[in-house]
Amino acid sequence: MLQAARYLLGSPGASGFGSKTTAEEVTAACPDLGSLTAIITGATSGIGAETARVLAKRGARVVMPARSVKAAEDMRARILGECPGADVLVLHLDLSSLASVRDFARRFLSLGLPLHLLINNAGKFSHGQLALSEDGVEMTFATNYLGHFLLTKLLLGRMAETAAATGVQGRIVNVSSSVHGWFSGDWADYLQLVTRRKIPYDATRAYAVSKLANLLHTKELAARLQEMGADVTVNCVHPGIVRTRLNRDREGLITDLVFVLLSKLLKTIPQAAATTCYAAVHPRLAGVSDRYLADCNEALPSPAAASRSEAARLWQASEDMISGSSQQGQVLQYGCWTGTSEHPTTLCPSTV
């Protein structure tokens, strides 16, 4: 009850910020980010666009990967309209395609730019029937998690090099959701069964699995960064409930009535982008890794999201998936099964 009251009132937590804090307010402590380069996925609208706008306003070079280059160019024009001196670069990226992720990473690395911030913000909520990516992966999982896993893996070397060369700590921010706690069960079994069409497709459950994966990725990556000795941190954030394009796709009388009734609980986009910006640049988070943040303060994830063994298991499964996709036939492998975009149902002997 007390936590709900604090949320509604916007009362600040230990960080000095709360649910009503905006992205511009949390970045006021670091007004000059001119030495930083940031990659922000999903920056053509909503929370990602506000994150890009605020960081560019503070002087950071912003790289906007986007499936729709036109939408990204439009957003770039809006940022330049407000901040004529902003340095904003647009490159094509379709996170649901592992080939596209590899192509984006090659093109970015070929530019020879440093990389201080990687904000894995893009999110998708699938509607209707089950859809598979070209790699044979359930589309929500492919876009929200697996594409970001590969992107992070491919750019991590540049981030570590940049931190070592500049003395500026690198930061990775994975945008998750409190919805991750809605999933119970075994994520690998779920993905196997839903991809093989052995259970009905539930878009909300698929979204929850992808957001749980974001948190588990954060946990395992934080441990590996520490083992590497890389001066790079990684944290995960819940931006809050906001009416963005993600949920505006679900238009209808009932949806509209729910949003009217819950209007006091919804954040504005500047408020929703605050926690991402806080994790990305605020001095208070220097050296802090493997945290789950909400309303610019530490929060508790679900028990499933806090499991190091599950985090390690997901990491290995993800390595199998991305290595399989680079082979002929785009074979998908994780846990105890394999599949392709044409035949995603072939079982292999279980070793778990």
Side-chain angles (χ1 to χ4, degrees):
M1 182 66 71
L2 178 60
Q3 187 176 3
R6 289 181 63 180
Y7 176 86
L8 290 171
L9 294 172
S11 302
S15 68
F17 303 118
S19 62
K20 304 301 182 185
T21 303
T22 66
E24 290 207 22
E25 289 169 346
V26 299
T27 57
C30 37
D32 185 8
L33 303 178
S35 63
L36 303 186
T37 297
I39 291 178
I40 307 170
T41 67
T44 58
S45 64
I47 296 168
E50 177 67 1
T51 301
R53 183 191 72 82
V54 171
L55 295 188
K57 181 178 180 178
R58 300 299 187 200
R61 176 193 289 122
V62 172
V63 180
M64 297 172 56
R67 186 173 57 178
S68 170
V69 172
K70 181 183 183 305
E73 290 288 1
D74 289 345
M75 187 60 214
R76 177 178 182 272
R78 287 196 291 273
I79 292 174
L80 293 176
E82 180 180 346
C83 314
D87 188 353
V88 182
L89 176 65
V90 171
L91 293 173
H92 177 263
L93 170 64
D94 179 355
L95 280 163
S96 73
S97 163
L98 298 179
S100 178
V101 174
R102 291 189 175 93
D103 184 56
F104 167 82
R106 280 193 296 267
R107 282 180 291 132
F108 174 78
L109 293 174
S110 72
L111 297 174
L113 296 174
L115 182 58
H116 305 86
L117 307 175
L118 174 58
I119 300 176
N120 293 321
N121 165 81
K124 176 183 179 63
F125 189 105
S126 297
H127 303 283
Q129 297 181 343
L130 168 71
L132 300 181
S133 72
E134 65 184 42
D135 303 291
V137 185
E138 189 278 315
M139 188 64 79
T140 305
F141 189 83
T143 304
N144 295 0
Y145 166 68
L146 191 62
H148 283 129
F149 173 85
L150 177 58
L151 181 66
T152 303
K153 179 182 175 69
L154 295 175
L155 298 178
L156 196 55
R158 178 60 54 86
M159 293 195 74
E161 291 169 5
T162 299
T166 64
V168 178
Q169 187 173 70
R171 298 190 190 184
I172 300 168
V173 181
N174 288 331
V175 178
S176 182
S177 168
S178 61
V179 173
H180 80 272
W182 295 7
F183 179 79
S184 60
D186 185 280
W187 53 266
D189 286 348
Y190 170 77
L191 288 171
Q192 175 189 355
L193 292 170
V194 77
T195 306
R196 297 176 61 216
R197 295 178 170 84
K198 295 297 184 181
I199 57 174
Y201 180 71
D202 183 317
T204 300
R205 200 168 186 215
Y207 183 75
V209 169
S210 73
K211 293 294 137 181
L212 172 61
N214 293 145
L215 274 152
L216 292 173
H217 177 218
T218 301
K219 176 163 288 296
E220 182 64 16
L221 180 57
R224 289 174 179 252
L225 287 167
Q226 186 174 24
E227 291 168 4
M228 288 169 54
D231 191 16
V232 179
T233 64
V234 57
N235 292 292
C236 202
V237 305
H238 165 55
I241 306 171
V242 59
R243 194 168 199 188
T244 66
R245 284 182 60 185
L246 191 67
N247 47 44
R248 276 206 307 269
D249 288 341
R250 305 192 68 147
E251 291 292 358
L253 178 61
I254 294 177
T255 301
D256 289 341
L257 284 174
V258 168
F259 273 106
V260 169
L261 293 173
L262 298 180
S263 60
K264 296 300 182 182
L265 299 177
L266 297 179
K267 288 187 175 185
T268 65
I269 287 176
Q271 290 168 349
T275 307
T276 300
C277 289
Y278 176 71
V281 300
H282 199 276
R284 189 183 181 98
L285 270 292
V288 176
S289 201
D290 189 21
R291 299 294 193 275
Y292 176 52
L293 305 170
D295 301 330
C296 302
N297 287 276
E298 287 192 33
L300 290 175
S302 71
S307 169
R308 177 69 198 278
S309 62
E310 282 302 299
R313 180 176 173 230
L314 175 64
W315 186 285
Q316 185 56 58
S318 304
E319 290 280 10
D320 291 342
M321 281 189 267
I322 63 173
S323 62
S325 72
S326 65
Q327 300 169 4
Q328 186 173 6
Q330 295 180 318
V331 179
L332 170 63
Q333 299 181 323
Y334 57 90
C336 61
W337 66 291
T338 65
T340 67
S341 53
E342 289 90 10
H343 305 287
T345 61
T346 307
L347 293 177
C348 64
S350 174
T351 58
V352 242

